[in-house]
Amino acid sequence: MNKKTYLSEIKNGLKGLPEDEAVIDEIESHIEHHLFHSFQEGMSEEEAMQTLMQAFGTPADIVSSFKKEQPVTFRAFLMFHLFFNSALFAGGIIITMMHAWLESPIVHAVWKGISVSVWLILAAYMIYWVLIGYQGVREFGKHGEQLVLHTILICMVPNVIFMLVFLFHLIPVVLFQSLLSSWFVETCACATLLFPLFGRMGCYIGRRQLA
């Protein structure tokens, strides 16, 4: 295996990891340094590559070691927030159904607590989208911003579906009458459209923390 193939396999294996370009540049620098000393000792390219692989391992070894060091992957980040946001909606649907069909003092108390806290819940929910941006940049550096936007757009799907279902009265509005005023619904609709902006705010805060 020559140097070009060696580096190419490493680059392909590390593509998509946080700060992959910086990591690849660092690895390439170490490889060049090692080969330079090998050539200084009079080794041929084949001999130099053999000593290189003995010292650094195969491209697969290097890629595997770097991937093990990553606490969070792009996919894990996206799936976690998609699951979390979907779980919030599922929980809301379950509570709504229980409130509509069950005569339970506990359910009634929970519903009443939610009813008087909708604005606080909305504020906390908007902060959550800011935190997605912050976490994305803190975990993945400059590559995190694109991931954050991608994650937010995917996670918004349940929000948009619910908004359309509610606005077009595909479910009985009476179920939410004590919970959602028209003013609150309009505010939620506007907030939903601003989720990407909230994410970018989080990215900005994350960049400032890293600076």
Side-chain angles (χ1 to χ4, degrees):
M1 180 183 293
N2 57 32
K3 184 183 78 171
K4 183 178 179 180
T5 304
Y6 190 83
L7 285 171
S8 177
E9 290 186 12
I10 293 173
K11 290 177 181 178
N12 290 334
L14 295 178
K15 190 178 296 181
L17 288 181
E19 301 292 345
D20 55 355
E21 293 178 6
V23 170
I24 290 169
D25 287 343
E26 183 180 354
I27 292 173
E28 190 168 0
S29 174
H30 286 299
I31 290 172
E32 292 286 358
H33 182 74
H34 190 280
L35 290 177
F36 174 79
H37 283 284
S38 296
F39 292 143
Q40 288 284 84
E41 294 174 4
M43 295 185 189
S44 65
E45 182 178 0
E46 183 178 352
E47 291 171 332
M49 287 303 300
Q50 286 178 350
T51 60
L52 175 71
M53 284 193 280
Q54 288 173 358
F56 287 75
T58 65
D61 293 332
I62 294 174
V63 170
S64 177
S65 66
F66 271 93
K67 285 186 174 180
K68 286 178 181 177
E69 292 176 6
Q70 300 301 324
V72 180
T73 64
F74 280 19
R75 180 180 176 83
F77 180 88
L78 190 154
M79 293 305 295
F80 170 80
H81 288 292
L82 178 60
F83 174 80
F84 182 79
N85 192 50
S86 299
L88 290 178
F89 272 85
I93 291 170
I94 291 171
I95 292 173
T96 301
M97 293 172 63
M98 292 175 66
H99 176 258
W101 296 330
L102 294 179
E103 292 294 334
S104 168
I106 296 176
V107 174
H108 179 72
V110 171
W111 186 264
K112 186 175 181 180
I114 294 174
S115 299
V116 299
S117 308
V118 288
W119 289 103
L120 182 61
I121 293 171
L122 178 60
Y125 193 49
M126 289 189 289
I127 292 173
Y128 163 69
W129 295 95
V130 175
L131 290 175
I132 289 180
Y134 176 79
Q135 182 194 15
V137 170
R138 293 284 293 180
E139 289 283 351
F140 303 106
K142 63 180 181 180
H143 296 288
E145 294 191 39
Q146 185 176 0
L147 172 64
V148 166
L149 181 60
H150 188 59
T151 300
I152 288 176
L153 291 176
I154 292 177
C155 291
M156 281 175 60
V157 171
N159 302 66
V160 174
I161 291 174
F162 178 78
M163 184 171 62
L164 293 175
V165 165
F166 188 86
L167 291 176
F168 288 100
H169 305 292
L170 299 179
I171 54 176
V173 179
V174 68
L175 291 176
F176 304 94
Q177 199 164 15
S178 62
L179 188 64
L180 305 178
S181 64
S182 58
W183 167 241
F184 182 76
V185 171
E186 291 171 4
T187 303
C188 288
C190 292
T192 299
L193 298 177
L194 292 175
F195 286 163
L197 177 61
F198 296 144
R200 289 189 180 278
M201 288 171 57
C203 290
Y204 174 76
I205 297 170
R207 287 198 306 270
R208 292 293 299 270
Q209 290 289 324
L210 290 174

